Amino acid sequence: MASGALSVKDFLDKAKLVSYGFFGLLILFLILFFSSPYLLVSKADPKKSDALVIEAIETGKKDKFKQAAALWKKGLAPAIIILHSPPNQDSDLGIVGDPTASLQTYLVSLGVDETKILVYTVESGPQEFPKTLLKIALDRQWKTFLLIGKEYDSATLLKLYRNVLEPAGIYIAVSKVSEGIGSWDWFTKPKSLESILGRLSKHLYLILLGN
């Protein structure tokens, strides 16, 4: 046998190691794939807070407003904060022009006291919502918030807000709004599959960035 040539045993050993590595990565991918919904759902327990928080950024999504009104009427928080950016074609509830009055009117129609609704316009966009909430918390000396968020955005939202609020000793949790996506069959529906994998990519990207 020529010097340096692999014996059959050495070849089989190396092939076995490669196959173990391949199947190990495949198993890891499958675990990550099927556990995606659980990674995206917040485990923080909602509790009585100083204010409920709504991000008004998604066209036509009124479920968050309905849930906030229901929680306010249950006494989970005395005030509701709405964070929104200057309106455009993607503005929440399809509002054109100044949304402040329309957002307040909609919550009032759901039974919320108008004096308990605080609307803040964030000119620089939704990425600055957590910093705006921190400023509100410091100005008003509030220490606990309950953010109303879509179920499979809740873990990502919690991570984004906690990175800003926790260093100041402020607690935040997410009240999850159901999206009608099953945790067991989400991958069988193209729209659900695309939505969950897109959000998983964003969540993992934030983790890689250390956010």
Side-chain angles (χ1 to χ4, degrees):
M1 183 180 293
S3 177
L6 281 176
S7 66
V8 173
K9 181 179 182 303
D10 289 339
F11 174 79
L12 292 176
D13 287 342
K14 289 181 181 296
K16 191 181 295 184
L17 286 174
V18 171
S19 64
Y20 285 163
F22 172 77
F23 285 111
L25 288 173
L26 179 61
I27 291 170
L28 182 62
F29 170 79
L30 290 175
I31 291 172
L32 182 63
F33 179 83
F34 287 108
S35 64
S36 297
Y38 303 100
L39 295 175
L40 295 173
V41 177
S42 163
K43 307 300 187 297
D45 294 326
K47 63 181 183 180
K48 193 167 185 178
S49 304
D50 293 312
L52 302 169
V53 182
I54 307 171
E55 292 187 335
I57 56 177
E58 293 138 336
T59 300
K61 295 295 183 182
K62 297 184 179 181
D63 289 348
K64 291 188 294 185
F65 285 76
K66 292 176 181 177
Q67 185 149 312
L71 294 176
W72 180 85
K73 285 188 278 190
K74 287 180 180 179
L76 210 60
I80 297 178
I81 294 172
I82 301 174
L83 302 174
H84 75 93
S85 293
N88 54 40
Q89 66 272 16
D90 297 321
S91 295
D92 196 43
L93 308 179
I95 293 171
V96 178
D98 182 7
T100 301
S102 297
L103 294 171
Q104 287 177 327
T105 299
Y106 185 64
L107 278 177
V108 169
S109 74
L110 296 173
V112 180
D113 183 344
E114 185 175 359
T115 64
K116 304 300 182 182
I117 304 169
L118 308 173
V119 184
Y120 291 86
T121 302
V122 184
E123 297 289 342
S124 50
Q127 69 276 4
E128 294 299 315
F129 284 174
K131 291 180 181 178
T132 300
L133 188 60
L134 175 61
K135 185 177 183 303
I136 295 169
L138 296 176
D139 288 345
R140 294 178 175 269
Q141 296 298 299
W142 285 346
K143 291 293 184 181
T144 54
F145 293 97
L146 183 55
L147 177 66
I148 313 299
K150 292 190 292 185
E151 185 177 10
Y152 295 112
D153 285 336
S154 58
T156 302
L157 286 170
L158 192 63
K159 178 175 286 293
L160 289 169
Y161 277 83
R162 278 188 168 176
N163 285 340
V164 175
L165 299 176
E166 278 196 339
I170 298 165
Y171 178 85
I172 187 165
V174 179
S175 177
K176 299 177 282 290
V177 177
S178 176
E179 300 182 59
I181 299 176
S183 58
W184 293 102
D185 63 353
W186 60 273
F187 50 87
T188 65
K189 303 169 185 176
K191 286 186 178 180
S192 298
L193 177 65
E194 181 182 359
S195 177
I196 293 295
L197 291 183
R199 287 188 252 186
L200 178 64
S201 298
K202 179 181 178 181
H203 188 70
L204 294 177
Y205 180 67
L206 289 174
I207 292 175
L208 290 174
L209 288 180
N211 293 331

